[in-house]
């Protein structure tokens, strides 16, 4: 298929609950939706960048300029074949993984629609079948008090969620998590620090080992593999890697160093589904625990995540939640829903498998960029 046009939409979605982490508080989610047109079809992807360079260095502005000046022009008129890997189009572009992933996702959707197949089928390893449903997990931000956190966690447990992750920061950790654990003794529970700690905090973090956590995610700075390895060696709780592993090669290096026994795989963080599939295959080969994370995506990015998480290799529930946990009105129809049993249905229709609501998308779009 020959790509005719690429379009970026800078969207700002109001969040139903502010989301607070160790790097800040978001009340609305800025993101970039990508549409690619070819041969009378269109495909949708999402670069789940943010307004601010908090979780990653990428922002809406960096995505905009790199697509406008570098990624978009070689793509228009290009023939996209059987593999949606865009690596060959941009052999000299480093970084900008979310921008790359957004375009790649749109190409995957386009190909899936052209083939009349669901994304889940394309993303699964060759010859293997995706699951019909996936277990839902949820990431709960920092709250105004530990009691509020226990209440919020309780709402999700009521809603059927199979696993809950709470956010940590210095001063909001052991005691708070202990309260959640006390209220929900059997809940599969994880905690994510988004890199807020340093090597001097190892003794403090080791106190978490008594709380029966499923994992402790990204305690140290993204480049500090050594501290992750040191903590993992001293802890029975699985250290889970997120910001530390922005690529296939970084994942392999981190695993070689023993920096963690679990990986949070976000296709957008590693530069798209083609690369994410390699990370999945690596973790599978090595018997590393794996789940699919998220970046507060709209329904478009979320459906791509549902699709990859439905394939073999994912050993634990991810940060894939129902649409209404994020927004009052999603850009897809129907929204992503979590059943009473805590499961999300994997779409079986072509491509994303849910319709894109152009009216909702337009309402939240601040600006557009069309190339060609
Ligand atoms: O660290 O996993 C993270 C959200 C934004 C940025 C980073 C992270 C998160 C989450 C929530 O934890 C993921 C989601 O629900 O989409
Ligand atoms: Mg994380």
């Amino acid at each position: 298929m020959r790509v005719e046009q690429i379009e970026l939409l800078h969207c700002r979605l109001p969040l139903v609950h502010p989301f607070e982490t160790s790097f800040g508080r978001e009340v609305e989610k800025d993101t970039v939706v990508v549409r690619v047109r070819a041969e009378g079809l269109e495909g949708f992807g999402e670069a789940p960048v943010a307004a601010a360079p908090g979780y990653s260095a990428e922002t809406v502005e960096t995505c905009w300029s790199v697509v406008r000046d570098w990624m978009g022009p070689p793509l228009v008129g290009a023939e996209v074949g059987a593999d949606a890997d865009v690596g060959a189009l941009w052999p000299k572009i480093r970084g900008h993984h979310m921008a790359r992933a957004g375009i790649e996702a749109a190409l995957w959707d386009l190909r899936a629609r052209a083939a009349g197949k669901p994304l889940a089928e394309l993303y699964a390893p060759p010859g293997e079948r995706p699951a019909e449903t996936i277990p839902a997990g949820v990431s709960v931000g920092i709250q105004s008090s530990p009691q509020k956190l226990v209440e919020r966690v309780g709402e999700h447990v009521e809603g059927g969620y199979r696993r809950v992750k709470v956010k940590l920061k210095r001063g909001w950790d052991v005691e708070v998590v202990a309260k959640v654990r006390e209220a929900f003794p059997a809940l599969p529970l994880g905690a994510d620090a988004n890199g807020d700690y340093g090597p001097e905090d190892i003794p403090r973090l080791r106190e978490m080992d008594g709380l029966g956590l499923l994992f402790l995610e990204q305690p140290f700075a993204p480049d500090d593999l050594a501290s992750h390895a040191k903590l993992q060696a001293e802890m029975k709780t699985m250290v889970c890697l997120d910001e530390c592993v922005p690529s296939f090669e970084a994942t392999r290096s981190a695993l070689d160093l023993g920096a963690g026994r679990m990986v949070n795989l976000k296709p957008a963080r590693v530069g798209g589904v083609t690369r994410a599939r390699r990370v999945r295959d690596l973790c599978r080969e090595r018997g590393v625990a794996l789940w699919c994370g998220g970046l507060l995506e709209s329904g478009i990015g979320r459906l791509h995540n549902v699709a990859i998480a439905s394939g073999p290799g994912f050993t634990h529930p991810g940060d894939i939640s129902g649409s209404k946990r994020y927004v009052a009105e999603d850009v897809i129809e129907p929204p992503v829903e979590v059943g009473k049993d805590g499961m999300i249905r994997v779409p079986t229709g072509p491509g994303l498998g849910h319709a894109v609501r152009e009216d909702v998308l337009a309402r939240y779009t601040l600006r557009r960029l069309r190339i060609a």
Side-chain angles (χ1 to χ4, degrees):
M1 282 195 286
R2 190 171 298 279
V3 173
E4 282 148 23
Q5 186 190 65
I6 161 163
E7 181 178 18
L8 299 187
L9 296 92
H10 172 189
C11 300
R12 179 168 292 164
L13 306 170
L15 296 174
V16 287
H17 300 286
F19 190 71
E20 186 173 336
T21 65
S22 62
F23 56 79
R25 184 179 158 93
E26 288 179 88
V27 295
E28 39 199 18
K29 170 63 186 172
D30 279 41
T31 191
V32 175
V33 168
V34 182
R35 185 197 325 248
V36 175
R37 293 193 165 95
E39 295 173 13
L41 292 172
E42 55 182 19
F44 285 94
E46 181 171 353
V49 289
Y55 167 79
S56 118
E58 285 189 83
T59 64
V60 171
E61 293 302 327
T62 67
C63 176
W64 216 257
S65 71
V66 81
V67 174
R68 182 191 59 216
D69 300 340
W70 299 100
M71 292 180 181
L75 181 65
V76 173
E79 195 61 49
V80 289
D83 191 341
D85 185 7
V86 285
L89 285 170
W90 310 314
K92 304 296 185 202
I93 300 179
R94 270 198 190 139
H96 300 283
H97 287 182
M98 295 184 196
R100 177 187 284 267
I103 293 178
E104 208 203 81
L107 294 173
W108 278 104
D109 183 32
L110 194 62
R111 281 182 46 236
R113 289 180 199 221
K117 290 183 175 166
L119 282 172
E121 212 173 294
L122 270 66
Y123 290 169
E128 296 187 74
R129 299 283 317 156
E132 287 172 11
T133 58
I134 59 165
V138 62
S139 172
V140 183
I142 293 161
Q143 307 292 315
S144 54
S145 69
Q147 291 82 328
K148 261 263 157 1
L149 178 64
V150 170
E151 276 167 38
R152 296 278 296 129
V153 170
E155 289 161 21
H156 294 298
V157 171
E158 279 304 299
Y161 280 89
R162 299 285 185 112
R163 186 229 66 184
V164 174
K165 162 175 127 180
V166 297
K167 290 292 189 178
L168 303 177
K169 64 173 179 181
R170 287 167 192 257
W172 179 269
D173 49 38
V174 183
E175 294 77 10
V176 178
V177 176
K179 285 218 164 66
V180 175
R181 176 47 89 211
E182 203 182 302
F184 307 99
L187 178 67
L189 179 66
D192 183 3
N194 289 104
D196 206 36
Y197 296 87
E200 68 283 4
D201 299 312
I202 287 180
R204 173 97 183 139
L205 293 169
R206 282 181 61 185
E207 291 177 40
M208 300 263 201
D209 226 1
L211 297 171
L213 291 181
L214 184 57
F215 60 85
L216 173 58
E217 181 174 339
Q218 197 66 40
F220 308 110
D223 297 322
D224 191 359
L225 288 173
S227 293
H228 286 88
K230 185 158 191 285
L231 181 64
Q232 182 64 95
E234 297 176 5
M235 214 178 186
K236 63 177 195 296
T237 302
M238 287 190 273
V239 171
C240 178
L241 305 171
D242 179 359
E243 287 92 324
C244 260
V245 287
S247 64
F248 170 81
E249 290 78 5
T251 310
R252 195 181 49 202
S253 302
L255 296 177
D256 284 347
L257 290 167
R261 293 197 278 118
M262 185 182 242
V263 171
N264 168 351
L265 177 54
K266 298 177 180 175
R269 186 196 63 222
V270 301
V273 165
T274 302
R275 293 168 176 192
R277 292 172 86 212
R278 292 184 66 209
V279 174
R280 172 196 65 200
D281 295 345
L282 174 77
C283 291
R284 210 176 169 201
E285 253 166 58
R286 297 199 182 187
V288 169
L290 180 70
W291 49 274
C292 182
L295 289 164
L296 307 180
E297 286 91 346
S298 77
I300 291 171
R302 186 168 318 284
L303 287 173
H304 282 277
N305 290 346
V306 167
I308 191 164
S310 69
F314 291 84
T315 59
H316 290 76
D319 282 341
I320 305 182
S321 315
S323 296
K324 69 171 190 228
R325 179 257 175 281
Y326 306 95
V327 289
E329 197 175 25
D330 208 339
V331 303
I332 52 165
E333 178 62 38
V336 172
E337 274 161 340
V338 177
K340 284 199 178 15
D341 58 353
M343 302 297 282
I344 293 172
R345 192 154 286 289
V346 179
T348 51
L352 287 177
H354 292 218
V356 171
R357 292 267 313 258
E358 294 286 351
D359 56 334
V360 179
L361 205 50
R363 197 163 346 119
Y364 295 127
T365 297
L366 302 180
R367 59 180 162 152
R368 292 169 195 264
L369 170 71
R370 286 203 181 110
I371 306 175

